[in-house]
Amino acid sequence: MRTHLTRLLVILPLLALLAVASPAHAIEIKRVVSPGGIEAWLVEDHSNPIIALEAGFRGAGATADPDGKEGLASMTTSLLTEGAGDMDSQAFQKKLADLSISLGFSASQDGISGGLRTLTENRDTAFDMLRLALTQPRFDPESLERVRGQMLVGLKRERERPGSIASRAFWTSAYPDHPYGRRGSGTPESVAALTPADLKQVVSQRFSRANLLVGVVGDITAEELAPALDRIFGTLPATASLPEIPDVQPAFAGDVMVIDRTMPQSTVLFGQRGLKRDDPDYFAAAILMEIMGGGFGSRLTEEIREKRGLAYSVSAGLAPMDHSAAIAGSVGTANARVAESIALVRAEWQRMASDGPTAEEVADAKAYLTGSYFLSLDGSGRIASMLVAIQRENLGIDYLDRRAGLIEAVTMDDLKRLSASLFDPKALTFVIVGQPEGVTATKPAPGQDS
């Protein structure tokens, strides 16, 4: 009863808001193609004099870092706004601040993205600064060494944080011979060895018109955006030079790894193989994982937190990547309760595999997944990011109109079939940082050498 009441408290406000206005119908996406052939997806919104632009470069992220140069994509993105063209770092940052322009870049495993926010009156200057950052970054020695120092401090802190320690071992164990098993933030040795030539190579080889994805939201028309795309991105190379990254299955084999750290509470990560975003069963998997570990009202929260008070939070979800897919979850609990928590996770995995979900759970999960997605699009920047994400996953420009129908079309037969084949308690792999009582490690944890 408590489970369903909790879900209702979450879902009812979503349904009420959706009843007022369906964002799927409020967001009209236009395909804009520049005279030079550069495509962007645009959502016009002239209610405020603000423009948000998101640019993504597919395949340009940490997986493209050569062996021994881990952290290269991360360092490059940190330095793109530290001076470009004839402006050093101070001049570049001052101009951004004086004109209230927000510009930043980040690297994930599979890509590099940049976000721009500007007032309409400063649009042309903002677009020019984005162009400079992408095509003429300076990588001045002073800025480079400052960012290098920040990254080294961050890596040192990672070695002290239980969550970072567990994450490093978890992903290294899952992908021992694949770039997904490396840390995107690099190692102290690799970060210390990166050179300006390495950074310039990222810019010249990974940023191109062929792997570019653009989403724009705000106070700009399609007619105004089309020529601007050529001014911003037109001088990028036609194609990128990226390494071939093989598809891979995660090596989850049901092991338990323990990293001994003196602390009263253990940090536990767990996982198994998952489904990629283009899998036909993706939405069925999303529904099942919402029921299993999606938050308050989920089975794991009910069994581990609500009934037994073993942890403040426990969760699990899909982790799709370009070249693989996993299910990953976490729980933090007292050392004396780790064994019980792991047993409960395995039991819930087995219950889902054997019995599947209930009709009431499915209805709640569908309502939540439908409503929460649109409520997360609460700003121009997030909508611009969503436009890039839809393009990256090849979901189609009409995806927002179809999404609710795709979720609703998932049947109980689909869920029963998938739950039986997907949830594998014997393959569930655990990494524990702490001093868990009553837990026996089955193999050493990898990735503890630096």
Side-chain angles (χ1 to χ4, degrees):
M1 181 66 186
R2 187 172 182 178
T3 299
H4 303 311
L5 177 61
T6 304
R7 280 195 175 277
L8 281 172
L9 291 174
V10 174
I11 293 167
L12 284 177
L14 303 182
L15 295 176
L17 285 170
L18 288 171
V20 174
S22 170
H25 299 293
I27 299 176
E28 179 187 359
I29 305 173
K30 299 178 181 177
R31 177 181 284 109
V32 178
V33 180
S34 75
I38 298 172
E39 178 175 325
W41 287 11
L42 168 66
V43 174
E44 289 191 42
D45 178 1
H46 302 284
S47 59
N48 292 297
I50 298 172
I51 299 168
L53 185 152
E54 188 82 8
F57 293 92
R58 198 196 307 257
T63 55
D65 291 349
D67 288 339
K69 296 186 183 298
E70 295 85 1
L72 178 55
S74 178
M75 179 181 280
T76 302
T77 55
S78 295
L79 283 160
L80 291 177
T81 57
E82 293 288 343
D86 61 2
M87 291 178 281
D88 63 13
S89 177
Q90 185 174 6
F92 196 90
Q93 291 292 332
K94 184 176 186 304
K95 192 167 186 176
L96 291 176
D98 288 346
L99 297 177
S100 299
I101 298 169
S102 171
L103 177 61
F105 297 86
S106 63
S108 66
Q109 285 284 3
D110 290 317
I112 284 177
S113 61
L116 173 73
R117 312 286 182 269
T118 182
L119 297 171
T120 307
E121 63 186 61
N122 298 326
R123 180 184 72 194
D124 291 342
T125 300
F127 288 171
D128 192 51
M129 296 190 75
L130 173 57
R131 176 187 62 80
L132 286 172
L134 289 173
T135 59
Q136 301 178 43
R138 292 166 62 102
F139 303 131
D140 290 333
E142 181 180 347
S143 298
L144 192 155
E145 294 309 320
R146 174 165 44 80
V147 169
R148 191 197 309 277
Q150 293 169 348
M151 291 181 67
L152 291 172
V153 169
L155 289 171
K156 186 176 181 180
R157 289 175 177 166
E158 282 184 13
R159 292 178 61 81
E160 307 300 323
R161 288 197 289 260
S164 298
I165 296 169
S167 178
R168 178 182 178 186
F170 182 80
W171 294 110
T172 301
S173 171
Y175 300 101
D177 302 311
H178 192 277
Y180 285 147
R182 307 181 310 191
R183 284 184 298 172
S185 55
T187 67
E189 294 77 17
S190 67
V191 169
L194 295 175
T195 67
D198 295 325
L199 305 172
K200 291 175 182 175
Q201 196 169 60
V202 172
V203 173
S204 64
Q205 294 187 349
R206 302 191 199 181
F207 297 162
S208 81
R209 302 195 300 276
N211 65 332
L212 171 67
L213 305 167
V214 183
V216 182
V217 177
D219 187 25
I220 187 169
T221 65
E223 292 73 23
E224 293 168 331
L225 177 60
L229 292 172
D230 283 344
R231 291 199 302 273
I232 301 169
F233 304 110
T235 59
L236 292 175
T239 59
S241 177
L242 299 170
E244 289 287 335
I245 306 298
D247 287 355
V248 63
Q249 284 284 354
F252 293 124
D255 286 302
V256 176
M257 291 160 273
V258 177
I259 301 169
D260 191 303
R261 291 291 188 277
T262 303
M263 53 187 68
Q265 177 166 302
S266 288
T267 295
V268 183
L269 299 188
F270 56 91
Q272 62 147 83
R273 67 177 176 83
L275 270 68
K276 293 177 68 174
R277 186 60 186 84
D278 61 357
D279 193 293
D281 279 327
Y282 181 81
F283 274 120
I287 291 169
L288 292 173
M289 288 313 302
E290 176 61 29
I291 295 168
M292 174 62 78
F296 287 105
S298 70
R299 289 188 177 186
L300 292 181
T301 297
E302 182 68 14
E303 295 297 324
I304 293 176
R305 173 190 157 119
E306 300 298 332
K307 288 184 178 177
R308 298 169 178 82
L310 300 181
Y312 179 74
S313 67
V314 54
S315 62
L318 297 171
M321 295 160 265
D322 283 359
H323 303 284
S324 188
I327 291 173
S330 67
V331 59
T333 188
N335 288 324
R337 313 301 295 273
V338 172
E340 184 179 2
S341 298
I342 288 176
L344 286 167
V345 172
R346 284 183 171 139
E348 287 308 309
W349 236 250
Q350 183 60 62
R351 184 160 73 100
M352 185 66 86
S354 301
D355 303 334
T358 67
E360 190 170 7
E361 287 176 327
V362 172
D364 287 353
K366 284 184 175 182
Y368 182 80
L369 291 173
T370 300
S372 62
Y373 181 79
F374 290 108
L375 290 179
S376 71
L377 303 177
D378 58 355
S380 297
R382 292 191 177 188
I383 297 174
S385 297
M386 176 268 295
L387 295 177
V388 170
I390 293 175
Q391 293 177 77
R392 183 173 58 245
E393 303 297 344
N394 299 311
L395 299 176
I397 200 166
D398 61 344
Y399 173 69
L400 293 185
D401 293 327
R402 295 184 293 108
R403 186 178 183 277
L406 293 171
I407 293 173
E408 193 55 40
V410 176
T411 67
M412 184 60 82
D413 286 344
D414 295 331
L415 296 167
K416 296 272 189 181
R417 168 183 52 78
L418 183 63
S419 60
S421 62
L422 178 63
F423 289 91
D424 184 358
K426 293 182 179 178
L428 264 181
T429 296
F430 293 83
V431 172
I432 306 156
V433 178
Q435 295 181 320
E437 299 176 13
V439 176
T440 302
T442 60
K443 74 177 210 179
Q448 304 305 303
D449 53 334
S450 63

